[in-house]
Amino acid sequence: HSFLSARLNHKNIYPISAPQDLAYPFIIYTRIDTLADITHDGASGLNTALIQVDCFGESYKQAKDLSLLVKGLLQGFRGTM
């Protein structure tokens, strides 16, 4: 949440669901899966999270533009959030 908020200068970012009657645009993110890193020696203790990010806007264009900003920030990202 704070990773996206800081980089997008956007406050309407919510986990799982958003409040009703929320002003557009907003983002909802949901953890879809967690993949454990397994090595030849067993579990490494590291995990990879699969996160779904949904962008909503007053128009298709507004939602699409927001999604492209989010994609630009997250595509290829490696590290902790």
Side-chain angles (χ1 to χ4, degrees):
H1 174 266
S2 60
F3 176 86
L4 287 176
S5 293
R7 284 156 183 81
L8 292 174
N9 194 26
H10 193 69
K11 295 179 184 177
N12 290 339
I13 302 174
Y14 300 92
I16 305 169
S17 65
Q20 285 188 329
D21 302 322
L22 183 65
Y24 293 106
F26 62 91
I27 297 169
I28 297 174
Y29 64 94
T30 307
R31 181 186 294 241
I32 301 300
D33 200 1
T34 302
L35 308 169
D37 184 40
I38 306 296
T39 69
H40 291 291
D41 295 327
S44 70
L46 300 174
N47 295 315
T48 299
L50 179 60
I51 306 292
Q52 176 177 313
V53 179
D54 299 305
C55 298
F56 298 84
E58 288 183 301
S59 66
Y60 175 79
K61 182 181 179 346
Q62 186 181 46
K64 183 68 173 181
D65 289 349
L66 182 57
S67 75
L68 292 173
L69 287 172
V70 171
K71 183 178 179 180
L73 287 173
L74 297 179
Q75 194 168 27
F77 179 83
R78 291 181 173 265
T80 57
M81 289 188 189

